[in-house]
Amino acid sequence: MSGHYTERRTDSVETTERKKIVFSAIQPTGTPTIGNFVGAIRNMVAMQDDYTCFYAAADLHSITVDRVPAEFRKNVTEMVALLLACGIDPEKSTFFVQSHVSAHAELTWLLNCNTMFGEAKRMTQFKDKSKKHPENVNVGLFDYPVLMAADILLYRADYVPVGIDQMQHVELARNIAERFNNKYSPTFTVPEGVLPKFGAKVQSLADPTVKMSKSDDNPNGYVLMLDDADTIRRKFKRAVTDSGDEIAARADKPGIGNLLSIYAAFTGRTVEAAEKECAGLGYGDFKLRVADAVIAGLEPIQARFADYMRNKDYLTEQMQRGAEAAAHAARKTLEKVYRKMGFIRL
Ligand code: TRP
């Protein structure tokens, strides 16, 4: 796999001429940050030209945490509109809402019975989230990676672009697929997780040693894709820099390095080029320059997003269309699994 993602394994053999299949999903849990945008969404958009892509808004995954129904519904609508606004193109890819394709829930049950409690218990995200929300350690939280495996395996995905935090889950999906294939007969494509080659990491503006995250208690640490220009400028003005006055991407300058990589990502430059260009600017001016690049990059997306949000019929149409195409592809795999396991099919 070339272009925006690094090949994680080199042992895969090219066997056919068909386009490789990519599956990825994003949880609709509120507006994504610019870190999600440059680290994941932009790569999803770019991959549409080279791969057969299936992209989902993973709404089933997001109820492992308590949701207010009205807010949840709004989040899903906004996620669909935003991904379309970013360039996920229904003419090129199959883009759908996970719960609209019942095969995901069905395959999850079948896979549950082919997944060991012990291997699921080892998932670090489960351990972390259980610690963080001891009041709601529900079975869905535990089963979350198996639902992810179902997502991936239904579409026979070859590649699964994910952040490093989800890599262990893709690994589990591989194990489940291999085990099933050995126990019955070759059924699933064994997927490969792939990490983004660049733009993978945007750190918090308030603490450049941690990843930018919208669950940060300090809202100045993150920039949301729908933040307005004033908010973006304010957040960058407050961004933590480093001692000294040099603009350089160096280990001892995590704050400046982070701003440089954001600037590079939003202007299509390399970090080295960004460094050269900004050398000599004072920190205050530099931060404003970064803010302006982010504002300019988000502006057309925000405008398209607003258009889509005014046109709910269009969004519903796209969801319908995506669901039908996805269901068709998913059903084929699901039927195969049922049959191999010995279920009577009508
Ligand atoms: N769990 C992923 C996340 O939070 C989202 C997701 C759901 C996903 N299903 C997937 C990612 C399948 C890759 C493949 O980031």
Side-chain angles (χ1 to χ4, degrees), residues 38 42 198-199 257-275 277-278 286 290 293-294:
V38 302
R42 255 184 8 177
F198 48 72
N258 187 38
L259 292 172
L260 276 170
S261 59
I262 293 170
Y263 185 69
F266 273 87
T267 54
R269 289 168 175 68
T270 62
V271 172
E272 295 71 44
E275 204 175 350
E277 185 197 317
C278 299
F286 172 54
V290 180
V294 171

mmCIF file with all atom_site columns, all heavy atoms in Angstrom, residues 38 42 198-199 257-275 277-278 286 290 293-294:
data_model
loop_
_atom_site.group_PDB
_atom_site.id
_atom_site.type_symbol
_atom_site.label_atom_id
_atom_site.label_alt_id
_atom_site.label_comp_id
_atom_site.label_asym_id
_atom_site.label_entity_id
_atom_site.label_seq_id
_atom_site.pdbx_PDB_ins_code
_atom_site.Cartn_x
_atom_site.Cartn_y
_atom_site.Cartn_z
_atom_site.occupancy
_atom_site.B_iso_or_equiv
_atom_site.pdbx_formal_charge
_atom_site.auth_seq_id
_atom_site.auth_comp_id
_atom_site.auth_asym_id
_atom_site.auth_atom_id
_atom_site.pdbx_PDB_model_num
ATOM 1   N N   . VAL A 1 38  ? -6.413 15.732 10.291 1.00 0.00 ? 38  VAL A N   1
ATOM 2   C CA  . VAL A 1 38  ? -5.171 15.490 9.553  1.00 0.00 ? 38  VAL A CA  1
ATOM 3   C C   . VAL A 1 38  ? -4.648 14.069 9.765  1.00 0.00 ? 38  VAL A C   1
ATOM 4   O O   . VAL A 1 38  ? -3.978 13.510 8.909  1.00 0.00 ? 38  VAL A O   1
ATOM 5   C CB  . VAL A 1 38  ? -4.050 16.525 9.865  1.00 0.00 ? 38  VAL A CB  1
ATOM 6   C CG1 . VAL A 1 38  ? -4.517 17.927 9.555  1.00 0.00 ? 38  VAL A CG1 1
ATOM 7   C CG2 . VAL A 1 38  ? -3.576 16.416 11.287 1.00 0.00 ? 38  VAL A CG2 1
ATOM 8   N N   . ARG A 1 42  ? -8.512 12.977 6.545  1.00 0.00 ? 42  ARG A N   1
ATOM 9   C CA  . ARG A 1 42  ? -7.894 13.347 5.263  1.00 0.00 ? 42  ARG A CA  1
ATOM 10  C C   . ARG A 1 42  ? -7.323 12.160 4.518  1.00 0.00 ? 42  ARG A C   1
ATOM 11  O O   . ARG A 1 42  ? -7.356 12.090 3.299  1.00 0.00 ? 42  ARG A O   1
ATOM 12  C CB  . ARG A 1 42  ? -6.796 14.383 5.495  1.00 0.00 ? 42  ARG A CB  1
ATOM 13  C CG  . ARG A 1 42  ? -7.273 15.739 5.062  1.00 0.00 ? 42  ARG A CG  1
ATOM 14  C CD  . ARG A 1 42  ? -6.284 16.810 5.147  1.00 0.00 ? 42  ARG A CD  1
ATOM 15  N NE  . ARG A 1 42  ? -4.937 16.403 5.455  1.00 0.00 ? 42  ARG A NE  1
ATOM 16  C CZ  . ARG A 1 42  ? -3.931 17.247 5.509  1.00 0.00 ? 42  ARG A CZ  1
ATOM 17  N NH1 . ARG A 1 42  ? -4.140 18.526 5.240  1.00 0.00 ? 42  ARG A NH1 1
ATOM 18  N NH2 . ARG A 1 42  ? -2.740 16.850 5.812  1.00 0.00 ? 42  ARG A NH2 1
ATOM 19  N N   . PHE A 1 198 ? 1.961  10.200 7.633  1.00 0.00 ? 198 PHE A N   1
ATOM 20  C CA  . PHE A 1 198 ? 2.271  11.532 8.158  1.00 0.00 ? 198 PHE A CA  1
ATOM 21  C C   . PHE A 1 198 ? 0.999  12.166 8.707  1.00 0.00 ? 198 PHE A C   1
ATOM 22  O O   . PHE A 1 198 ? -0.086 11.644 8.513  1.00 0.00 ? 198 PHE A O   1
ATOM 23  C CB  . PHE A 1 198 ? 2.887  12.437 7.084  1.00 0.00 ? 198 PHE A CB  1
ATOM 24  C CG  . PHE A 1 198 ? 2.141  12.443 5.777  1.00 0.00 ? 198 PHE A CG  1
ATOM 25  C CD1 . PHE A 1 198 ? 0.902  13.074 5.667  1.00 0.00 ? 198 PHE A CD1 1
ATOM 26  C CD2 . PHE A 1 198 ? 2.676  11.818 4.660  1.00 0.00 ? 198 PHE A CD2 1
ATOM 27  C CE1 . PHE A 1 198 ? 0.226  13.080 4.463  1.00 0.00 ? 198 PHE A CE1 1
ATOM 28  C CE2 . PHE A 1 198 ? 1.989  11.816 3.463  1.00 0.00 ? 198 PHE A CE2 1
ATOM 29  C CZ  . PHE A 1 198 ? 0.769  12.445 3.362  1.00 0.00 ? 198 PHE A CZ  1
ATOM 30  N N   . GLY A 1 199 ? 1.181  13.261 9.401  1.00 0.00 ? 199 GLY A N   1
ATOM 31  C CA  . GLY A 1 199 ? 0.018  13.930 9.971  1.00 0.00 ? 199 GLY A CA  1
ATOM 32  C C   . GLY A 1 199 ? -0.664 13.086 11.022 1.00 0.00 ? 199 GLY A C   1
ATOM 33  O O   . GLY A 1 199 ? -1.791 13.320 11.400 1.00 0.00 ? 199 GLY A O   1
ATOM 34  N N   . GLY A 1 257 ? 7.302  22.441 17.800 1.00 0.00 ? 257 GLY A N   1
ATOM 35  C CA  . GLY A 1 257 ? 7.267  21.322 16.851 1.00 0.00 ? 257 GLY A CA  1
ATOM 36  C C   . GLY A 1 257 ? 5.830  20.958 16.489 1.00 0.00 ? 257 GLY A C   1
ATOM 37  O O   . GLY A 1 257 ? 5.510  20.726 15.322 1.00 0.00 ? 257 GLY A O   1
ATOM 38  N N   . ASN A 1 258 ? 4.966  20.947 17.494 1.00 0.00 ? 258 ASN A N   1
ATOM 39  C CA  . ASN A 1 258 ? 3.560  20.626 17.255 1.00 0.00 ? 258 ASN A CA  1
ATOM 40  C C   . ASN A 1 258 ? 2.907  21.678 16.357 1.00 0.00 ? 258 ASN A C   1
ATOM 41  O O   . ASN A 1 258 ? 2.208  21.351 15.399 1.00 0.00 ? 258 ASN A O   1
ATOM 42  C CB  . ASN A 1 258 ? 2.839  20.540 18.605 1.00 0.00 ? 258 ASN A CB  1
ATOM 43  C CG  . ASN A 1 258 ? 1.420  20.034 18.475 1.00 0.00 ? 258 ASN A CG  1
ATOM 44  O OD1 . ASN A 1 258 ? 1.141  19.147 17.668 1.00 0.00 ? 258 ASN A OD1 1
ATOM 45  N ND2 . ASN A 1 258 ? 0.508  20.616 19.254 1.00 0.00 ? 258 ASN A ND2 1
ATOM 46  N N   . LEU A 1 259 ? 3.182  22.940 16.651 1.00 0.00 ? 259 LEU A N   1
ATOM 47  C CA  . LEU A 1 259 ? 2.611  24.013 15.821 1.00 0.00 ? 259 LEU A CA  1
ATOM 48  C C   . LEU A 1 259 ? 3.135  23.924 14.390 1.00 0.00 ? 259 LEU A C   1
ATOM 49  O O   . LEU A 1 259 ? 2.393  24.136 13.427 1.00 0.00 ? 259 LEU A O   1
ATOM 50  C CB  . LEU A 1 259 ? 2.933  25.383 16.433 1.00 0.00 ? 259 LEU A CB  1
ATOM 51  C CG  . LEU A 1 259 ? 2.242  25.676 17.775 1.00 0.00 ? 259 LEU A CG  1
ATOM 52  C CD1 . LEU A 1 259 ? 2.779  26.961 18.395 1.00 0.00 ? 259 LEU A CD1 1
ATOM 53  C CD2 . LEU A 1 259 ? 0.728  25.748 17.604 1.00 0.00 ? 259 LEU A CD2 1
ATOM 54  N N   . LEU A 1 260 ? 4.410  23.595 14.264 1.00 0.00 ? 260 LEU A N   1
ATOM 55  C CA  . LEU A 1 260 ? 4.974  23.456 12.921 1.00 0.00 ? 260 LEU A CA  1
ATOM 56  C C   . LEU A 1 260 ? 4.311  22.315 12.159 1.00 0.00 ? 260 LEU A C   1
ATOM 57  O O   . LEU A 1 260 ? 4.014  22.451 10.963 1.00 0.00 ? 260 LEU A O   1
ATOM 58  C CB  . LEU A 1 260 ? 6.487  23.199 12.999 1.00 0.00 ? 260 LEU A CB  1
ATOM 59  C CG  . LEU A 1 260 ? 7.381  24.431 13.126 1.00 0.00 ? 260 LEU A CG  1
ATOM 60  C CD1 . LEU A 1 260 ? 8.817  24.007 13.437 1.00 0.00 ? 260 LEU A CD1 1
ATOM 61  C CD2 . LEU A 1 260 ? 7.333  25.299 11.861 1.00 0.00 ? 260 LEU A CD2 1
ATOM 62  N N   . SER A 1 261 ? 4.058  21.219 12.850 1.00 0.00 ? 261 SER A N   1
ATOM 63  C CA  . SER A 1 261 ? 3.462  20.121 12.080 1.00 0.00 ? 261 SER A CA  1
ATOM 64  C C   . SER A 1 261 ? 1.997  20.416 11.752 1.00 0.00 ? 261 SER A C   1
ATOM 65  O O   . SER A 1 261 ? 1.509  20.000 10.701 1.00 0.00 ? 261 SER A O   1
ATOM 66  C CB  . SER A 1 261 ? 3.671  18.761 12.745 1.00 0.00 ? 261 SER A CB  1
ATOM 67  O OG  . SER A 1 261 ? 3.117  18.739 14.010 1.00 0.00 ? 261 SER A OG  1
ATOM 68  N N   . ILE A 1 262 ? 1.321  21.163 12.587 1.00 0.00 ? 262 ILE A N   1
ATOM 69  C CA  . ILE A 1 262 ? -0.050 21.578 12.238 1.00 0.00 ? 262 ILE A CA  1
ATOM 70  C C   . ILE A 1 262 ? -0.002 22.508 11.020 1.00 0.00 ? 262 ILE A C   1
ATOM 71  O O   . ILE A 1 262 ? -0.757 22.352 10.059 1.00 0.00 ? 262 ILE A O   1
ATOM 72  C CB  . ILE A 1 262 ? -0.738 22.282 13.433 1.00 0.00 ? 262 ILE A CB  1
ATOM 73  C CG1 . ILE A 1 262 ? -0.963 21.290 14.585 1.00 0.00 ? 262 ILE A CG1 1
ATOM 74  C CG2 . ILE A 1 262 ? -2.073 22.905 12.996 1.00 0.00 ? 262 ILE A CG2 1
ATOM 75  C CD1 . ILE A 1 262 ? -1.415 21.934 15.892 1.00 0.00 ? 262 ILE A CD1 1
ATOM 76  N N   . TYR A 1 263 ? 0.931  23.439 11.068 1.00 0.00 ? 263 TYR A N   1
ATOM 77  C CA  . TYR A 1 263 ? 1.070  24.371 9.948  1.00 0.00 ? 263 TYR A CA  1
ATOM 78  C C   . TYR A 1 263 ? 1.396  23.628 8.651  1.00 0.00 ? 263 TYR A C   1
ATOM 79  O O   . TYR A 1 263 ? 0.797  23.873 7.598  1.00 0.00 ? 263 TYR A O   1
ATOM 80  C CB  . TYR A 1 263 ? 2.165  25.398 10.269 1.00 0.00 ? 263 TYR A CB  1
ATOM 81  C CG  . TYR A 1 263 ? 2.304  26.491 9.230  1.00 0.00 ? 263 TYR A CG  1
ATOM 82  C CD1 . TYR A 1 263 ? 1.301  27.444 9.071  1.00 0.00 ? 263 TYR A CD1 1
ATOM 83  C CD2 . TYR A 1 263 ? 3.436  26.553 8.408  1.00 0.00 ? 263 TYR A CD2 1
ATOM 84  C CE1 . TYR A 1 263 ? 1.416  28.440 8.111  1.00 0.00 ? 263 TYR A CE1 1
ATOM 85  C CE2 . TYR A 1 263 ? 3.563  27.555 7.456  1.00 0.00 ? 263 TYR A CE2 1
ATOM 86  C CZ  . TYR A 1 263 ? 2.551  28.488 7.314  1.00 0.00 ? 263 TYR A CZ  1
ATOM 87  O OH  . TYR A 1 263 ? 2.657  29.474 6.370  1.00 0.00 ? 263 TYR A OH  1
ATOM 88  N N   . ALA A 1 264 ? 2.319  22.691 8.767  1.00 0.00 ? 264 ALA A N   1
ATOM 89  C CA  . ALA A 1 264 ? 2.706  21.897 7.592  1.00 0.00 ? 264 ALA A CA  1
ATOM 90  C C   . ALA A 1 264 ? 1.501  21.129 7.058  1.00 0.00 ? 264 ALA A C   1
ATOM 91  O O   . ALA A 1 264 ? 1.233  21.134 5.849  1.00 0.00 ? 264 ALA A O   1
ATOM 92  C CB  . ALA A 1 264 ? 3.847  20.937 7.963  1.00 0.00 ? 264 ALA A CB  1
ATOM 93  N N   . ALA A 1 265 ? 0.755  20.513 7.951  1.00 0.00 ? 265 ALA A N   1
ATOM 94  C CA  . ALA A 1 265 ? -0.392 19.703 7.524  1.00 0.00 ? 265 ALA A CA  1
ATOM 95  C C   . ALA A 1 265 ? -1.455 20.554 6.820  1.00 0.00 ? 265 ALA A C   1
ATOM 96  O O   . ALA A 1 265 ? -2.073 20.121 5.856  1.00 0.00 ? 265 ALA A O   1
ATOM 97  C CB  . ALA A 1 265 ? -1.005 18.983 8.722  1.00 0.00 ? 265 ALA A CB  1
ATOM 98  N N   . PHE A 1 266 ? -1.649 21.760 7.310  1.00 0.00 ? 266 PHE A N   1
ATOM 99  C CA  . PHE A 1 266 ? -2.712 22.597 6.735  1.00 0.00 ? 266 PHE A CA  1
ATOM 100 C C   . PHE A 1 266 ? -2.281 23.383 5.502  1.00 0.00 ? 266 PHE A C   1
ATOM 101 O O   . PHE A 1 266 ? -3.097 23.968 4.812  1.00 0.00 ? 266 PHE A O   1
ATOM 102 C CB  . PHE A 1 266 ? -3.291 23.539 7.800  1.00 0.00 ? 266 PHE A CB  1
ATOM 103 C CG  . PHE A 1 266 ? -4.396 22.878 8.582  1.00 0.00 ? 266 PHE A CG  1
ATOM 104 C CD1 . PHE A 1 266 ? -4.110 22.113 9.699  1.00 0.00 ? 266 PHE A CD1 1
ATOM 105 C CD2 . PHE A 1 266 ? -5.718 22.978 8.173  1.00 0.00 ? 266 PHE A CD2 1
ATOM 106 C CE1 . PHE A 1 266 ? -5.121 21.468 10.404 1.00 0.00 ? 266 PHE A CE1 1
ATOM 107 C CE2 . PHE A 1 266 ? -6.744 22.347 8.867  1.00 0.00 ? 266 PHE A CE2 1
ATOM 108 C CZ  . PHE A 1 266 ? -6.443 21.589 9.982  1.00 0.00 ? 266 PHE A CZ  1
ATOM 109 N N   . THR A 1 267 ? -0.971 23.441 5.258  1.00 0.00 ? 267 THR A N   1
ATOM 110 C CA  . THR A 1 267 ? -0.527 24.186 4.085  1.00 0.00 ? 267 THR A CA  1
ATOM 111 C C   . THR A 1 267 ? 0.060  23.257 3.029  1.00 0.00 ? 267 THR A C   1
ATOM 112 O O   . THR A 1 267 ? 0.524  23.719 1.987  1.00 0.00 ? 267 THR A O   1
ATOM 113 C CB  . THR A 1 267 ? 0.547  25.237 4.476  1.00 0.00 ? 267 THR A CB  1
ATOM 114 O OG1 . THR A 1 267 ? 1.595  24.566 5.181  1.00 0.00 ? 267 THR A OG1 1
ATOM 115 C CG2 . THR A 1 267 ? -0.040 26.326 5.347  1.00 0.00 ? 267 THR A CG2 1
ATOM 116 N N   . GLY A 1 268 ? 0.088  21.966 3.325  1.00 0.00 ? 268 GLY A N   1
ATOM 117 C CA  . GLY A 1 268 ? 0.635  21.006 2.362  1.00 0.00 ? 268 GLY A CA  1
ATOM 118 C C   . GLY A 1 268 ? 2.139  21.113 2.215  1.00 0.00 ? 268 GLY A C   1
ATOM 119 O O   . GLY A 1 268 ? 2.703  20.743 1.191  1.00 0.00 ? 268 GLY A O   1
ATOM 120 N N   . ARG A 1 269 ? 2.789  21.637 3.232  1.00 0.00 ? 269 ARG A N   1
ATOM 121 C CA  . ARG A 1 269 ? 4.255  21.721 3.194  1.00 0.00 ? 269 ARG A CA  1
ATOM 122 C C   . ARG A 1 269 ? 4.857  20.606 4.035  1.00 0.00 ? 269 ARG A C   1
ATOM 123 O O   . ARG A 1 269 ? 4.155  20.005 4.841  1.00 0.00 ? 269 ARG A O   1
ATOM 124 C CB  . ARG A 1 269 ? 4.722  23.049 3.808  1.00 0.00 ? 269 ARG A CB  1
ATOM 125 C CG  . ARG A 1 269 ? 4.444  24.286 2.992  1.00 0.00 ? 269 ARG A CG  1
ATOM 126 C CD  . ARG A 1 269 ? 4.705  25.497 3.888  1.00 0.00 ? 269 ARG A CD  1
ATOM 127 N NE  . ARG A 1 269 ? 4.593  26.770 3.203  1.00 0.00 ? 269 ARG A NE  1
ATOM 128 C CZ  . ARG A 1 269 ? 3.485  27.295 2.729  1.00 0.00 ? 269 ARG A CZ  1
ATOM 129 N NH1 . ARG A 1 269 ? 2.350  26.638 2.814  1.00 0.00 ? 269 ARG A NH1 1
ATOM 130 N NH2 . ARG A 1 269 ? 3.480  28.485 2.155  1.00 0.00 ? 269 ARG A NH2 1
ATOM 131 N N   . THR A 1 270 ? 6.134  20.391 3.866  1.00 0.00 ? 270 THR A N   1
ATOM 132 C CA  . THR A 1 270 ? 6.825  19.503 4.801  1.00 0.00 ? 270 THR A CA  1
ATOM 133 C C   . THR A 1 270 ? 7.137  20.325 6.054  1.00 0.00 ? 270 THR A C   1
ATOM 134 O O   . THR A 1 270 ? 7.128  21.566 6.018  1.00 0.00 ? 270 THR A O   1
ATOM 135 C CB  . THR A 1 270 ? 8.160  19.008 4.224  1.00 0.00 ? 270 THR A CB  1
ATOM 136 O OG1 . THR A 1 270 ? 9.010  20.151 4.014  1.00 0.00 ? 270 THR A OG1 1
ATOM 137 C CG2 . THR A 1 270 ? 7.957  18.262 2.911  1.00 0.00 ? 270 THR A CG2 1
ATOM 138 N N   . VAL A 1 271 ? 7.422  19.619 7.142  1.00 0.00 ? 271 VAL A N   1
ATOM 139 C CA  . VAL A 1 271 ? 7.770  20.325 8.373  1.00 0.00 ? 271 VAL A CA  1
ATOM 140 C C   . VAL A 1 271 ? 9.045  21.151 8.165  1.00 0.00 ? 271 VAL A C   1
ATOM 141 O O   . VAL A 1 271 ? 9.162  22.279 8.662  1.00 0.00 ? 271 VAL A O   1
ATOM 142 C CB  . VAL A 1 271 ? 7.934  19.329 9.551  1.00 0.00 ? 271 VAL A CB  1
ATOM 143 C CG1 . VAL A 1 271 ? 8.494  20.029 10.787 1.00 0.00 ? 271 VAL A CG1 1
ATOM 144 C CG2 . VAL A 1 271 ? 6.596  18.683 9.875  1.00 0.00 ? 271 VAL A CG2 1
ATOM 145 N N   . GLU A 1 272 ? 9.979  20.582 7.394  1.00 0.00 ? 272 GLU A N   1
ATOM 146 C CA  . GLU A 1 272 ? 11.239 21.306 7.138  1.00 0.00 ? 272 GLU A CA  1
ATOM 147 C C   . GLU A 1 272 ? 10.969 22.624 6.402  1.00 0.00 ? 272 GLU A C   1
ATOM 148 O O   . GLU A 1 272 ? 11.522 23.672 6.745  1.00 0.00 ? 272 GLU A O   1
ATOM 149 C CB  . GLU A 1 272 ? 12.206 20.462 6.297  1.00 0.00 ? 272 GLU A CB  1
ATOM 150 C CG  . GLU A 1 272 ? 12.714 19.196 6.954  1.00 0.00 ? 272 GLU A CG  1
ATOM 151 C CD  . GLU A 1 272 ? 11.647 18.105 7.080  1.00 0.00 ? 272 GLU A CD  1
ATOM 152 O OE1 . GLU A 1 272 ? 10.896 17.891 6.091  1.00 0.00 ? 272 GLU A OE1 1
ATOM 153 O OE2 . GLU A 1 272 ? 11.539 17.493 8.158  1.00 0.00 ? 272 GLU A OE2 1
ATOM 154 N N   . ALA A 1 273 ? 10.082 22.552 5.404  1.00 0.00 ? 273 ALA A N   1
ATOM 155 C CA  . ALA A 1 273 ? 9.755  23.763 4.653  1.00 0.00 ? 273 ALA A CA  1
ATOM 156 C C   . ALA A 1 273 ? 9.047  24.775 5.557  1.00 0.00 ? 273 ALA A C   1
ATOM 157 O O   . ALA A 1 273 ? 9.313  25.986 5.489  1.00 0.00 ? 273 ALA A O   1
ATOM 158 C CB  . ALA A 1 273 ? 8.879  23.416 3.449  1.00 0.00 ? 273 ALA A CB  1
ATOM 159 N N   . ALA A 1 274 ? 8.175  24.275 6.405  1.00 0.00 ? 274 ALA A N   1
ATOM 160 C CA  . ALA A 1 274 ? 7.456  25.157 7.330  1.00 0.00 ? 274 ALA A CA  1
ATOM 161 C C   . ALA A 1 274 ? 8.442  25.847 8.270  1.00 0.00 ? 274 ALA A C   1
ATOM 162 O O   . ALA A 1 274 ? 8.352  27.046 8.537  1.00 0.00 ? 274 ALA A O   1
ATOM 163 C CB  . ALA A 1 274 ? 6.436  24.351 8.123  1.00 0.00 ? 274 ALA A CB  1
ATOM 164 N N   . GLU A 1 275 ? 9.397  25.061 8.723  1.00 0.00 ? 275 GLU A N   1
ATOM 165 C CA  . GLU A 1 275 ? 10.421 25.567 9.629  1.00 0.00 ? 275 GLU A CA  1
ATOM 166 C C   . GLU A 1 275 ? 11.189 26.716 8.976  1.00 0.00 ? 275 GLU A C   1
ATOM 167 O O   . GLU A 1 275 ? 11.381 27.775 9.569  1.00 0.00 ? 275 GLU A O   1
ATOM 168 C CB  . GLU A 1 275 ? 11.360 24.392 9.926  1.00 0.00 ? 275 GLU A CB  1
ATOM 169 C CG  . GLU A 1 275 ? 12.127 24.467 11.189 1.00 0.00 ? 275 GLU A CG  1
ATOM 170 C CD  . GLU A 1 275 ? 12.928 23.177 11.430 1.00 0.00 ? 275 GLU A CD  1
ATOM 171 O OE1 . GLU A 1 275 ? 12.733 22.169 10.697 1.00 0.00 ? 275 GLU A OE1 1
ATOM 172 O OE2 . GLU A 1 275 ? 13.748 23.188 12.341 1.00 0.00 ? 275 GLU A OE2 1
ATOM 173 N N   . GLU A 1 277 ? 10.296 28.549 6.421  1.00 0.00 ? 277 GLU A N   1
ATOM 174 C CA  . GLU A 1 277 ? 9.434  29.682 6.119  1.00 0.00 ? 277 GLU A CA  1
ATOM 175 C C   . GLU A 1 277 ? 9.173  30.537 7.355  1.00 0.00 ? 277 GLU A C   1
ATOM 176 O O   . GLU A 1 277 ? 9.094  31.759 7.274  1.00 0.00 ? 277 GLU A O   1
ATOM 177 C CB  . GLU A 1 277 ? 8.113  29.159 5.550  1.00 0.00 ? 277 GLU A CB  1
ATOM 178 C CG  . GLU A 1 277 ? 7.202  30.279 5.095  1.00 0.00 ? 277 GLU A CG  1
ATOM 179 C CD  . GLU A 1 277 ? 5.767  29.802 4.930  1.00 0.00 ? 277 GLU A CD  1
ATOM 180 O OE1 . GLU A 1 277 ? 5.565  28.705 4.369  1.00 0.00 ? 277 GLU A OE1 1
ATOM 181 O OE2 . GLU A 1 277 ? 4.866  30.530 5.381  1.00 0.00 ? 277 GLU A OE2 1
ATOM 182 N N   . CYS A 1 278 ? 9.020  29.895 8.489  1.00 0.00 ? 278 CYS A N   1
ATOM 183 C CA  . CYS A 1 278 ? 8.622  30.620 9.691  1.00 0.00 ? 278 CYS A CA  1
ATOM 184 C C   . CYS A 1 278 ? 9.805  31.091 10.530 1.00 0.00 ? 278 CYS A C   1
ATOM 185 O O   . CYS A 1 278 ? 9.624  31.839 11.503 1.00 0.00 ? 278 CYS A O   1
ATOM 186 C CB  . CYS A 1 278 ? 7.692  29.769 10.540 1.00 0.00 ? 278 CYS A CB  1
ATOM 187 S SG  . CYS A 1 278 ? 6.175  29.324 9.667  1.00 0.00 ? 278 CYS A SG  1
ATOM 188 N N   . PHE A 1 286 ? 4.011  33.831 14.824 1.00 0.00 ? 286 PHE A N   1
ATOM 189 C CA  . PHE A 1 286 ? 4.023  32.453 14.331 1.00 0.00 ? 286 PHE A CA  1
ATOM 190 C C   . PHE A 1 286 ? 2.697  31.767 14.665 1.00 0.00 ? 286 PHE A C   1
ATOM 191 O O   . PHE A 1 286 ? 2.057  31.140 13.819 1.00 0.00 ? 286 PHE A O   1
ATOM 192 C CB  . PHE A 1 286 ? 5.203  31.693 14.934 1.00 0.00 ? 286 PHE A CB  1
ATOM 193 C CG  . PHE A 1 286 ? 5.200  30.220 14.645 1.00 0.00 ? 286 PHE A CG  1
ATOM 194 C CD1 . PHE A 1 286 ? 5.123  29.746 13.333 1.00 0.00 ? 286 PHE A CD1 1
ATOM 195 C CD2 . PHE A 1 286 ? 5.282  29.295 15.688 1.00 0.00 ? 286 PHE A CD2 1
ATOM 196 C CE1 . PHE A 1 286 ? 5.122  28.369 13.064 1.00 0.00 ? 286 PHE A CE1 1
ATOM 197 C CE2 . PHE A 1 286 ? 5.276  27.923 15.425 1.00 0.00 ? 286 PHE A CE2 1
ATOM 198 C CZ  . PHE A 1 286 ? 5.191  27.463 14.117 1.00 0.00 ? 286 PHE A CZ  1
ATOM 199 N N   . VAL A 1 290 ? -0.112 30.166 12.083 1.00 0.00 ? 290 VAL A N   1
ATOM 200 C CA  . VAL A 1 290 ? -0.641 28.796 12.132 1.00 0.00 ? 290 VAL A CA  1
ATOM 201 C C   . VAL A 1 290 ? -2.173 28.838 12.211 1.00 0.00 ? 290 VAL A C   1
ATOM 202 O O   . VAL A 1 290 ? -2.879 28.134 11.480 1.00 0.00 ? 290 VAL A O   1
ATOM 203 C CB  . VAL A 1 290 ? -0.058 28.019 13.337 1.00 0.00 ? 290 VAL A CB  1
ATOM 204 C CG1 . VAL A 1 290 ? -0.614 26.589 13.364 1.00 0.00 ? 290 VAL A CG1 1
ATOM 205 C CG2 . VAL A 1 290 ? 1.462  27.990 13.286 1.00 0.00 ? 290 VAL A CG2 1
ATOM 206 N N   . ALA A 1 293 ? -3.741 29.569 8.893  1.00 0.00 ? 293 ALA A N   1
ATOM 207 C CA  . ALA A 1 293 ? -3.687 28.426 7.967  1.00 0.00 ? 293 ALA A CA  1
ATOM 208 C C   . ALA A 1 293 ? -4.794 27.424 8.301  1.00 0.00 ? 293 ALA A C   1
ATOM 209 O O   . ALA A 1 293 ? -5.450 26.875 7.411  1.00 0.00 ? 293 ALA A O   1
ATOM 210 C CB  . ALA A 1 293 ? -2.316 27.747 8.045  1.00 0.00 ? 293 ALA A CB  1
ATOM 211 N N   . VAL A 1 294 ? -5.008 27.218 9.587  1.00 0.00 ? 294 VAL A N   1
ATOM 212 C CA  . VAL A 1 294 ? -6.054 26.273 10.012 1.00 0.00 ? 294 VAL A CA  1
ATOM 213 C C   . VAL A 1 294 ? -7.436 26.826 9.635  1.00 0.00 ? 294 VAL A C   1
ATOM 214 O O   . VAL A 1 294 ? -8.275 26.105 9.082  1.00 0.00 ? 294 VAL A O   1
ATOM 215 C CB  . VAL A 1 294 ? -5.949 26.003 11.533 1.00 0.00 ? 294 VAL A CB  1
ATOM 216 C CG1 . VAL A 1 294 ? -7.147 25.201 12.032 1.00 0.00 ? 294 VAL A CG1 1
ATOM 217 C CG2 . VAL A 1 294 ? -4.644 25.263 11.849 1.00 0.00 ? 294 VAL A CG2 1
#
